[in-house]
Amino acid sequence: LLCFFFFQAEDGIRDPLWSRGLGDVYKRQVQINIGAVVKEADEWDQEMGPHPKPGVATLRSWDHIIANRYKIMYAPADDTCTLCTYGPCDLTGNKRGACGIDQAGACGKIVLIACLMGCCAHAAHGRHLYHWCIDKFGDMKFDMGSEILVDSPIYQTIMGTKPRTFKDFNEGLYYLEEEVVQLLAATHTGQERAFLDFESKALHAVRLDLLGME
């Protein structure tokens, strides 16, 4: 014996959150048989990763393992730091700047700033394209076609969700922009001086850069 039940919400009802059960069904139908729930054809059945929407320090310990395994080599253009009004500071030998930073830390800060420059450029392009698509097409269904097996691999890996419409990408852009502000704040005078932590933040910036590009 096979029974089917169809639920349809009233037209115009919208909710920003995904439906989690039969009592929260919006703008779509669910097919049920006795003893089991039949998934929709476009239901995302991928297992959630351990760290969706990672923060600045979420993967810090893992980044340190990588940095200690593969030693970082710097080739500074000069031996001074001129990134703030306390400078220029002489960092030759074992000297430290006015904020306490050493040569390796100054180089790590430059690496992070360089990564953020590219990340911000791509995020700005992504934000512009997002607004353009919304203005021109509205909140369309996001569909890359039948030949694309995973239509947003970076977004799904980092955010832990699958975008269904254009507006779903706004969550990713907001997340990216908030993280970038925190990363850039770490480059302010005296906020950070350990080169390993600068490198960890640079890796996070690269993850965000990939998200912005996608």
Side-chain angles (χ1 to χ4, degrees):
L1 175 63
L2 183 64
C3 298
F4 298 94
F5 300 88
F6 295 94
F7 297 83
Q8 179 67 49
E10 293 182 8
D11 191 24
I13 297 178
R14 300 301 298 266
D15 192 295
L17 300 177
W18 293 6
S19 60
R20 297 295 183 181
L22 295 180
D24 188 27
V25 178
Y26 296 92
K27 302 291 284 184
R28 60 196 181 112
Q29 295 179 341
V30 175
Q31 174 185 325
I32 300 178
N33 65 3
I34 293 178
V37 176
V38 179
K39 291 184 178 180
E40 294 179 275
D42 63 345
E43 187 74 17
W44 190 40
D45 58 0
Q46 298 296 317
E47 182 179 355
M48 175 71 75
H51 300 296
K53 299 172 66 174
V56 172
T58 302
L59 300 176
R60 179 176 179 268
S61 59
W62 173 246
D63 294 338
H64 280 215
I65 291 175
I66 295 175
N68 285 314
R69 179 176 299 175
Y70 305 100
K71 298 300 181 182
I72 298 169
M73 185 191 73
Y74 294 120
D78 59 57
D79 295 323
T80 62
C81 178
T82 58
L83 291 177
C84 77
T85 55
Y86 290 112
C89 293
D90 182 10
L91 302 180
T92 56
N94 295 320
K95 295 179 182 178
R96 292 182 177 271
C99 67
I101 202 168
D102 60 9
Q103 182 69 272
C107 290
K109 181 186 286 192
I110 293 294
V111 170
L112 174 56
I113 292 173
C115 291
L116 286 172
M117 290 168 63
C119 178
C120 289
H122 294 131
H125 296 160
R127 173 61 77 179
H128 173 76
L129 181 60
Y130 168 80
H131 286 305
W132 183 86
C133 289
I134 293 296
D135 292 340
K136 187 173 181 63
F137 303 109
D139 191 19
M140 288 182 60
K141 179 180 179 181
F142 175 64
D143 187 359
M144 296 291 289
S146 59
E147 295 185 1
I148 305 298
L149 297 179
V150 183
D151 49 22
S152 54
I154 297 174
Y155 187 99
Q156 293 181 35
T157 300
I158 295 177
M159 298 299 295
T161 60
K162 180 179 180 180
R164 297 179 180 275
T165 68
F166 283 171
K167 284 190 176 180
D168 288 341
F169 284 98
N170 198 38
E171 180 185 359
L173 287 169
Y174 271 127
Y175 160 76
L176 189 162
E177 290 157 357
E178 181 178 354
E179 292 298 305
V180 163
V181 170
Q182 294 185 32
L183 289 174
L184 190 57
T187 66
H188 192 264
T189 304
Q191 298 300 307
E192 181 68 77
R193 69 181 186 180
F195 80 95
L196 282 179
D197 283 325
F198 278 124
E199 292 291 343
S200 173
K201 291 176 174 65
L203 289 174
H204 189 48
V206 172
R207 284 189 289 269
L208 298 173
D209 192 11
L210 294 172
L211 179 63
M213 284 190 283
E214 183 175 84

